[in-house]
Amino acid sequence: MNIVIIGTGYVGLPVGIGFAELGNKVVCVDVDEIKINNLRNGKLTIYENGLKELLVKNLSKNNICFDISYDSIKNADIVIVAVGTPQSDIDNSVDLNFIYSSIKEIAKKLDNSYKVIAIKSTVPIGTCDKIESLLNNENIDVISLPEFLREGYALEDFFSPDRIVVGSNSKKANDLIMELYSSFNKDKLLFVDRKSAELIKYASNSFLAMKIHFINEMANLCEKANLNIDDISKGIGLDSRIGAKFLNPGPGYGGSCFPKDTLALQTIAKNYGVNLSLLNATIDGNNRRFIDIANNVCNFVKHIKSPTLAIYGLSFKKGTDDCRYSPSINIILNILKACDLIVKVYDPLAIDNAKKILGDKVLYFNDKYSCLKDSDLLVILTEWEEFKYLDFDILYNNMKGRTIYDCRNILCTTDSRFNIFKVGSGSFS
Ligand code: UDX
């Protein structure tokens, strides 16, 4: 099938490469010429496990190519729109400028051949209806095809999705989608109407965010009641109706989706006159958590003369270089606001992206041990695998302090020379 993907970001690129790997002819379009040239030369613009190998392989097989023009739409069977829908700067609504500018470009290239325009970007309820009236072309069907990829697991989630939600009011479009996903298990396909598909995406992310906030609040209770959150998490997760995933306590959720999508759903609901009380509490509680963790750190260092803090982890989660709405970055900024200290940071992948936000407010190190020199406290904020096993002799010989605040409960070993505090067991505050 001839597929055009508009947008080569964290969703568009893995989806385009995934469809190319399945034998389709894919053209990925983006306005960013530098990005397009990099991709043409097999140079990835995002970090995703295994993506580079597939990109190079499908470039050599001519299954995929990259373009800044929309000309390829003429021969497309399906156009998948995967441009960003960031949070608006004015309020918590969704900024649809990239969507509408790409729709305008698509409209110019439509002729009287049948095409499906699939909106993969996360968009408010009713956006596909608006796009359909904007295009005003009886030779096309607009469908909602929301994406559920997790950053860091994009290819895994593309090739073995839990579900493929298709929001469509057209049998013809449904038949084309069934052909597109013919190599997938048919049971994975869920056909609903367009608006339901648009809401499913927000509801799914909001529920996951709520689940994370719930376990973080249970962690707070465990700290006060002197219990261990790991036991609670395991105990409730064994209930098949709850499930063990997304019950890892941490510094709060972040990333380019949960913070944006929860706020967007809150606004969407408000516009329908509906108050989502659980969602409101999740948003407020998650933001509060960043401040609470920062305050815990400042309370710890306030008795130390010119304290030095070492931070492990800058990305919003392991497996990615993405620092957008990263809890780690948010907590560091709150710490710098609340107390005067030197902050040394290390992250295996995200330093370049972190520099764009933190600038020279902190000191960057390219390995986890040199970051520790003379530090009074080590705080772990991202659950990178390399933080699971630390050489405590090196810590002992380099750190001034003997305390570790493991906000991801990632450390697998202890050492009697150190006081190790985890979220949800024993109280650091
Ligand atoms: C999310 C959704 O999972 C995905 O389906 C959707 O398509 C895009 O948004 P992503 O933003 O990549 O994916 O990250 P995810 O793995 O969901 O984690 C989001 C945040 O929650 C991260 O900050 C992560 O560290 C945190 N998290 C996740 C927890 O704190 N605890 C958990 O148990 C799981």
Side-chain angles (χ1 to χ4, degrees):
M1 202 173 274
N2 291 323
I3 305 171
V4 171
I5 310 262
I6 311 290
T8 59
Y10 282 92
V11 171
L13 190 59
V15 168
I17 293 171
F19 277 126
E21 177 66 10
L22 292 175
N24 298 284
K25 290 291 177 202
V26 179
V27 180
C28 292
V29 176
D30 201 297
V31 289
D32 182 335
E33 203 158 350
I34 298 169
K35 197 190 260 194
I36 289 293
N37 288 331
N38 281 331
L39 290 165
R40 277 178 180 151
N41 298 313
K43 194 168 171 299
L44 270 191
T45 50
I46 58 169
Y47 177 81
E48 266 298 345
N49 219 353
L51 198 61
K52 183 171 175 65
E53 294 77 3
L54 283 195
L55 169 62
V56 171
K57 175 184 166 191
N58 285 283
L59 277 170
S60 64
K61 290 168 72 175
N62 283 324
N63 279 348
I64 193 166
C65 65
F66 298 90
D67 203 341
I68 53 167
S69 100
Y70 281 65
D71 292 347
S72 52
I73 285 179
K74 282 195 168 53
N75 314 317
D77 301 303
I78 180 167
V79 181
I80 298 178
V81 179
V83 295
T85 53
Q87 199 178 315
S88 143
D89 296 337
I90 308 139
D91 56 19
N92 293 329
S93 64
V94 185
D95 177 346
L96 294 173
N97 284 320
F98 296 130
I99 288 274
Y100 290 127
S101 51
S102 64
I103 293 299
K104 235 184 259 142
E105 292 307 313
I106 291 169
K108 291 176 196 164
K109 302 294 177 186
L110 294 177
D111 48 25
N112 50 14
S113 62
Y114 177 71
K115 295 177 200 306
V116 168
I117 312 292
I119 307 303
K120 187 164 277 294
S121 307
T122 306
V123 293
I125 303 167
T127 304
C128 286
D129 292 357
K130 287 191 191 125
I131 290 168
E132 185 170 71
S133 47
L134 266 177
L135 288 171
N136 187 25
N137 181 319
E138 76 269 4
N139 299 309
I140 55 117
D141 279 322
V142 177
I143 69 170
S144 167
L145 194 65
E147 195 43 63
F148 300 97
L149 299 181
R150 292 164 298 155
E151 279 187 41
Y153 306 86
L155 289 177
E156 185 184 320
D157 291 345
F158 175 83
F159 288 112
S160 37
D162 285 342
R163 77 294 206 193
I164 298 155
V165 172
V166 186
S168 156
N169 310 332
S170 145
K171 185 182 173 317
K172 197 171 178 185
N174 294 355
D175 293 345
L176 186 137
I177 290 295
M178 282 200 274
E179 190 193 334
L180 176 67
Y181 285 99
S182 53
S183 58
F184 289 74
N185 173 347
K186 299 248 166 317
D187 300 344
K188 299 279 185 181
L189 281 163
L190 171 68
F191 290 94
V192 295
D193 70 274
R194 268 185 331 207
K195 288 184 178 177
S196 301
E198 290 166 331
L199 178 55
I200 286 169
K201 172 67 183 181
Y202 283 111
S204 184
N205 271 2
S206 297
F207 187 84
L208 290 167
M210 226 165 60
K211 199 174 174 187
I212 292 163
H213 178 56
F214 177 82
I215 203 67
N216 284 336
E217 290 208 306
M218 288 303 107
N220 292 342
L221 176 56
C222 286
E223 287 174 14
K224 297 295 179 207
N226 206 14
L227 299 173
N228 187 329
I229 187 61
D230 291 343
D231 298 333
I232 310 303
S233 174
K234 265 191 213 96
I236 63 176
L238 284 169
D239 183 324
S240 58
R241 295 165 301 174
I242 297 174
K245 291 181 180 171
F246 279 63
L247 283 177
N248 306 316
Y253 61 78
S256 64
C257 296
F258 284 4
K260 165 177 81 77
D261 292 351
T262 46
L263 282 172
L265 183 57
Q266 187 184 50
T267 307
I268 291 163
K270 229 176 262 167
N271 294 341
Y272 281 93
V274 175
N275 176 40
L276 301 176
S277 62
L278 287 174
L279 186 60
N280 299 341
T282 296
I283 294 165
D284 296 344
N286 195 61
N287 289 331
R288 176 80 232 154
R289 190 165 186 79
F290 301 145
I291 298 165
D292 289 347
I293 288 180
N295 289 341
N296 290 345
V297 170
C298 290
N299 287 335
F300 180 85
V301 300
K302 68 184 175 194
H303 304 301
I304 299 169
K305 199 171 163 311
S306 53
T308 299
L309 175 64
I311 301 258
Y312 277 176
L314 297 168
S315 59
F316 81 94
K317 66 172 183 176
K318 71 174 180 181
T320 179
D321 59 355
D322 196 349
C323 289
R324 289 175 294 175
Y325 299 92
S326 164
S328 174
I329 302 281
N330 199 313
I331 289 165
I332 290 169
L333 289 171
N334 277 310
I335 289 170
L336 291 168
K337 232 188 293 178
C339 54
D340 185 17
L341 77 179
I342 295 168
V343 180
K344 298 179 171 182
V345 301
Y346 165 74
D347 185 287
L349 272 186
I351 285 184
D352 289 346
N353 285 332
K355 278 181 178 168
K356 295 172 194 163
I357 309 168
L358 296 172
D360 57 5
K361 294 189 181 80
V362 299
L363 302 170
Y364 302 90
F365 292 81
N366 288 319
D367 82 271
K368 58 177 178 280
Y369 291 129
S370 56
C371 155
L372 293 171
K373 196 92 193 86
D374 301 328
S375 59
D376 298 288
L377 171 67
L378 167 61
V379 182
I380 302 175
L381 290 172
T382 307
E383 73 285 21
W384 286 102
E385 294 295 314
E386 63 178 274
F387 300 150
K388 279 185 169 174
Y389 301 96
L390 299 176
D391 182 329
F392 283 99
D393 289 336
I394 297 180
L395 267 69
Y396 188 79
N397 295 329
N398 281 276
M399 286 179 69
K400 240 172 23 197
R402 295 288 176 261
T403 304
I404 300 171
Y405 184 21
D406 178 5
C407 294
R408 289 287 190 160
N409 295 4
I410 186 78
L411 262 178
C412 291
T413 48
T414 58
D415 183 294
S416 58
R417 296 171 289 181
F418 284 85
N419 299 314
I420 299 172
F421 293 90
K422 290 178 178 268
V423 289
S425 58
S427 174
F428 182 67
S429 53

